[in-house]
């Protein structure tokens, strides 16, 4: 009887090993859904009451990167969502510790990235385009655009020339919401430019080592990103979600 039991045990053991090694991305995506039926990051999204305000997929990627970046020195996360037009609020500042949305604002993109929507991105000097990906905020200074914030791009080949390109957070008259009456916000040389009345409070909140993420649902970025490798297919994640949560999709 003992020999028969041992034979059956050894017979079925390899099958479980094969199943583990050959897990598909689809199965991994389904595994990301918790026992409560929520996808990773969704509980935080609901706790912050972001439905209908923030794109869930952008938020989920921002949080995934925020959790991986060990060099951050404060629990503040800024998300810029370039799937939204410049005429809408698309910059969001979150207090991750307190689970609060602190600021939402319009924000400019680079003049060669597109008109109302930013669709083209670059890491090259002189491109006048925005760069996607994750950054750490640095120190502040007074420049030609007034109170400004240095940014350090964390992703090689994607945004790591931010300092060389002078890509900083600053305020500008062309980034004030009133400009949107012309059909779009004014554009920068690649900097995320803010409305003048929000420049100081937002910069003072995010300065000094917080994470900033610029999102655009861009396949080229996802293929190159060193911080978000192996993210699950968005179509599957969209399918896995339902009801009111879909209102926050792009």
């Amino acid at each position: 009887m003992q020999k028969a039991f041992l034979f059956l045990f050894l017979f079925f053991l390899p099958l479980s090993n094969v199943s583990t090694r050959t897990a598909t991305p689809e199965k991994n995506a389904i595994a990301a859904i918790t026992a409560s039926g929520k996808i990773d990051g969704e509980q935080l999204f609901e706790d912050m009451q972001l439905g209908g305000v923030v794109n869930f997929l952008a938020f989920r990627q921002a949080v995934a990167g925020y959790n991986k970046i060990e060099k951050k020195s404060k629990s503040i996360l800024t998300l810029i969502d370039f799937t939204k037009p410049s005429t809408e609020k698309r910059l969001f500042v979150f207090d991750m510790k307190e689970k609060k949305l602190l600021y939402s604002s319009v924000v400019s993109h680079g003049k060669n990235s597109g008109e109302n929507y930013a669709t083209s991105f670059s890491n090259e000097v002189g491109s006048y385009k925005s760069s996607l990906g994750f950054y750490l905020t640095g120190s502040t200074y007074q420049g030609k655009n007034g109170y400004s914030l240095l940014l350090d791009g964390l992703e090689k080949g994607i945004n790591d020339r931010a300092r060389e390109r002078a890509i900083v957070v600053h305020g500008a008259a062309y980034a004030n919401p009133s400009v949107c009456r012309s059909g779009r916000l004014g554009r920068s040389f690649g900097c995320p430019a803010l409305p003048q009345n929000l420049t100081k409070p937002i910069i003072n909140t995010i300065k000094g080592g917080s994470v900033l993420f610029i999102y655009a649902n861009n396949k080229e970025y996802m293929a190159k990103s060193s911080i978000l490798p192996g993210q699950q297919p968005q179509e599957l994640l969209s399918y896995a979600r339902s009801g009111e949560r879909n209102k926050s999709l792009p």
Side-chain angles (χ1 to χ4, degrees):
M1 186 68 178
Q2 289 181 339
K3 289 182 178 180
F5 177 82
L6 180 60
F7 173 79
L8 290 172
F9 176 79
L10 293 175
F11 178 80
F12 285 109
L13 182 60
L15 295 178
S16 62
N17 289 340
V18 171
S19 175
T20 300
R21 289 195 300 268
T22 58
T24 64
E26 290 79 8
K27 289 180 180 178
N28 288 336
I30 297 302
I33 303 175
T34 66
S36 64
K38 298 185 190 304
I39 298 169
D40 290 345
E42 190 167 354
Q43 187 61 59
L44 182 60
F45 187 83
E46 292 182 0
D47 289 345
M48 290 187 179
Q49 300 180 340
L50 302 179
V53 178
V54 179
N55 176 347
F56 173 76
L57 295 174
F59 179 78
R60 184 175 187 267
Q61 288 189 11
V63 173
Y66 170 88
N67 288 335
K68 285 190 65 176
I69 296 169
E70 298 180 354
K71 293 181 179 180
K72 62 182 180 290
S73 57
K74 58 197 309 184
S75 59
I76 298 295
L77 170 63
T78 303
L79 166 64
I80 296 175
D81 181 4
F82 279 155
T83 65
K84 294 177 179 289
S86 68
T87 50
E88 293 183 13
K89 292 181 179 181
R90 55 182 182 172
L91 178 144
F92 307 94
V93 180
F94 309 102
D95 184 323
M96 301 298 283
K97 184 177 180 181
E98 298 297 326
K99 298 183 180 181
K100 290 181 179 180
L101 172 61
L102 302 178
Y103 295 99
S104 60
S105 173
V106 295
V107 62
S108 293
H109 57 255
K111 70 175 188 176
N112 287 339
S113 281
E115 292 290 330
N116 195 22
Y117 286 87
T119 57
S120 182
F121 309 97
S122 177
N123 192 38
E124 297 301 316
V125 175
S127 67
Y128 297 155
K129 294 183 179 183
S130 299
S131 299
L132 301 177
F134 287 91
Y135 300 76
L136 278 180
T137 62
S139 58
T140 61
Y141 68 98
Q142 286 289 339
K144 63 180 181 180
N145 291 304
Y147 193 49
S148 304
L149 175 66
L150 294 170
L151 296 175
D152 289 302
L154 301 180
E155 303 198 70
K156 186 173 178 60
I158 297 174
N159 60 22
D160 60 327
R161 302 182 75 179
R163 288 283 185 122
E164 184 181 356
R165 296 180 61 208
I167 301 301
V168 302
V169 179
H170 65 77
Y174 61 75
N176 291 330
S178 59
V179 178
C180 293
R181 295 170 188 164
S182 66
R184 62 166 171 78
L185 204 63
R187 296 169 299 171
S188 68
F189 286 169
C191 298
L194 296 169
Q196 291 168 309
N197 67 319
L198 287 176
T199 301
K200 189 170 184 179
I202 287 179
I203 286 180
N204 283 341
T205 299
I206 71 176
K207 67 181 180 180
S210 72
V211 174
L212 182 147
F213 177 53
I214 300 179
Y215 169 86
N217 192 17
N218 183 274
K219 292 182 179 179
E220 184 178 355
Y221 166 72
M222 292 305 300
K224 293 180 178 180
S225 177
S226 58
I227 295 178
L228 294 176
Q231 284 286 301
Q232 306 305 331
Q234 292 190 354
E235 294 81 3
L236 183 62
L237 291 174
S238 299
Y239 178 78
R241 296 169 60 244
S242 61
E244 291 297 309
R245 292 164 288 180
N246 286 327
K247 292 183 179 180
S248 61
L249 289 172

